[in-house]
Amino acid sequence: MSQGIAEGNSFAFTTGAYGNRPTFVLTRDRVDDQHEITLYELAPRDIATARRERFERVQKAVSVSVRELEEAIIGDRSPSELPGADDAAYDWDDWCAIRIATLRGGAFNEVSFLIESTFRELSLDPETVCTGDPASVSLPEAAGVRLSIAFRAMKPMRRRDRLREVAKGIDQMSLGECYYWHAKARSPSSPSGTKALRVLLADHLK
């Protein structure tokens, strides 16, 4: 569990389960002449494999997509060499990337609001992944957790007003609330966790 210092609706990101090692990567790419942004969670290969097997046993309709790090990162670099990482030279042997979700079109535009807010807390330039050439950024655990619940919730949505409400609602959540919804969203025994979050934040828009 990462540690965070709540400050109103925001929080200061500190250490995570793997210390200061970045455990998420956010990648902006261009595919079929369309911009898309993908969030990956980084994990040791044995942990990623165990998670995929749990989902295969419990939820046959849900798959956990595991990629090699070089498939998740733009350019021939390790997560330690990306913007957002500290100067420590972590060993990335036997680590891989779990794809959380890819957003395009309206979802890409609306999640940019949440990315900008999250990046400000980290003193990172959001334009690195919101505009310009394809790029990847490393993120600490707490920042990745906040974005992961947004990416999961927004993935199937199409209405811009609902997408906007989800992004704003997650931006206002405390760190504890983010971890609560993150745990529900990634649990194979809680298939409706992400749907419940969408209902909570956007169901008032008819």
Side-chain angles (χ1 to χ4, degrees):
M1 181 71 69
S2 76
Q3 300 171 343
I5 303 172
E7 298 176 347
N9 289 333
S10 65
F11 55 87
F13 301 113
T14 55
T15 59
Y18 297 98
N20 288 324
R21 177 193 292 264
T23 50
F24 287 83
V25 164
L26 190 62
T27 291
R28 177 179 180 270
D29 207 348
R30 190 173 181 86
V31 177
D32 297 330
D33 202 35
Q34 184 178 32
H35 292 296
E36 62 180 34
I37 194 160
T38 304
L39 182 66
Y40 298 93
E41 182 179 355
L42 310 181
R45 193 175 302 277
D46 58 342
I47 292 178
T49 300
R51 189 187 305 179
R52 179 170 59 189
E53 290 174 349
R54 285 198 303 272
F55 268 86
E56 289 175 350
R57 288 195 301 269
V58 178
Q59 288 196 56
K60 302 293 186 182
V62 178
S63 62
V64 174
S65 176
V66 178
R67 309 275 182 88
E68 298 299 323
L69 292 182
E70 56 266 28
E71 296 176 320
I73 295 172
I74 298 294
D76 187 19
R77 293 183 291 176
S78 77
S80 298
E81 299 169 315
L82 298 175
D86 57 26
D87 295 329
Y90 298 107
D91 182 2
W92 294 100
D93 290 345
D94 295 323
W95 279 64
C96 57
I98 303 168
R99 189 176 70 84
I100 302 300
T102 297
L103 301 182
R104 306 176 182 88
F108 178 105
N109 294 331
E110 296 304 333
V111 81
S112 295
F113 163 82
L114 183 59
I115 291 171
E116 291 171 1
S117 174
T118 303
F119 274 36
R120 282 196 298 271
E121 296 288 337
L122 299 169
S123 298
L124 284 172
D125 183 359
E127 291 188 4
T128 305
V129 290
C130 291
T131 62
D133 296 329
S136 297
V137 172
S138 287
L139 298 172
E141 181 184 283
V145 164
R146 182 179 292 277
L147 291 179
S148 73
I149 60 175
F151 272 65
R152 285 187 168 103
M154 297 170 76
K155 172 66 177 177
M157 301 175 70
R158 295 293 177 267
R159 281 179 48 179
R160 293 288 293 269
D161 56 344
R162 288 177 175 264
L163 287 163
R164 191 173 301 116
E165 285 299 300
V166 168
K168 288 182 178 178
I170 293 172
D171 182 54
Q172 295 171 1
M173 284 185 179
S174 68
L175 179 59
E177 290 174 306
C178 288
Y179 268 93
Y180 169 79
W181 287 107
H182 179 65
K184 290 182 71 68
R186 65 189 292 192
S187 171
S189 60
S190 181
S192 300
T194 304
K195 180 180 178 181
L197 178 60
R198 286 195 294 271
V199 170
L200 173 69
L201 296 178
D203 201 50
H204 63 283
L205 298 176
K206 301 301 184 181

